[in-house]
Amino acid sequence: MASFLLRPLLRTQALGLGLGLSMVTYHALHQRPMRLDSSPVSGSSGVFSADTYGRNAMTPVVQGGHLNPRAVRQISRGSIVGLCAGLLVSTFSRSLALILGLLVVGVQWASSYGIHIIPYNRLQRYVTSTDLRSAVQDNVAFKISFGTTFALAAFMHF
């Protein structure tokens, strides 16, 4: 009778479920409180201010032999936004998603070698509300990760 009652407990699914539930309850009981406030930014009114953009725009990827946290933040944001936008575009046209993603990476790569494909000085005459030079040349880590995941989203299937 005892072997009949213990047989379901010896299955691999039950063992995995038991371990998973015990780890979840352990972490839920011993977890530090999650703080959702942001660090105070000196001299600015919020997280998305002009000062914060100015500091993050020219962020080097490697600083002091280690990855820069601001660059890692740009890479993660760019990959998430690139994946979502790439999936949205790839529902209509996969080739368009691939071409647009590679275009973003190609323009950024050419700009790093001093080849300016987009004539931002001429376009700046028509668009006065934004700084096109900053949009083309700053936030390199964001744009590379955005373009790469945007292009890779063309290969995803549902």
Side-chain angles (χ1 to χ4, degrees):
M1 180 74 177
S3 65
F4 178 72
L5 293 175
L6 293 176
R7 190 174 299 158
L9 296 177
L10 298 178
R11 293 184 183 154
T12 58
Q13 294 92 358
L15 181 65
L17 183 65
L19 285 175
L21 288 175
S22 64
M23 289 182 68
V24 166
T25 55
Y26 174 78
H27 285 293
L29 294 175
H30 295 84
Q31 180 180 5
R32 290 182 12 203
M34 186 180 304
R35 297 185 59 185
L36 298 176
D37 57 344
S38 64
S39 63
V41 179
S42 62
S44 66
S45 61
V47 177
F48 297 114
S49 66
D51 293 337
T52 315
Y53 177 78
R55 277 184 287 149
N56 290 336
M58 301 298 280
T59 302
V61 177
V62 178
Q63 185 178 23
H66 301 289
L67 285 175
N68 190 355
R70 289 183 184 156
V72 172
R73 190 176 304 132
Q74 284 185 11
I75 292 169
S76 62
R77 286 180 182 168
S79 61
I80 291 169
V81 171
L83 179 68
C84 294
L87 285 175
L88 185 74
V89 172
S90 70
T91 56
F92 302 112
S93 173
R94 289 190 176 146
S95 59
L96 181 65
L98 180 65
I99 290 170
L100 287 177
L102 292 177
L103 185 68
V104 169
V105 173
V107 165
Q108 190 60 46
W109 177 75
S111 178
S112 69
Y113 282 104
I115 304 168
H116 300 291
I117 297 172
I118 299 174
Y120 57 86
N121 288 332
R122 191 179 332 152
L123 293 174
Q124 188 67 53
R125 287 184 236 149
Y126 303 112
V127 180
T128 58
S129 61
T130 61
D131 185 16
L132 289 179
R133 187 210 52 81
S134 175
V136 172
Q137 293 179 349
D138 295 344
N139 295 323
V140 177
F142 177 84
K143 286 188 282 190
I144 293 292
S145 63
F146 173 85
T148 305
T149 54
F150 194 95
L152 288 175
F155 296 108
M156 294 192 65
H157 295 283
F158 292 105

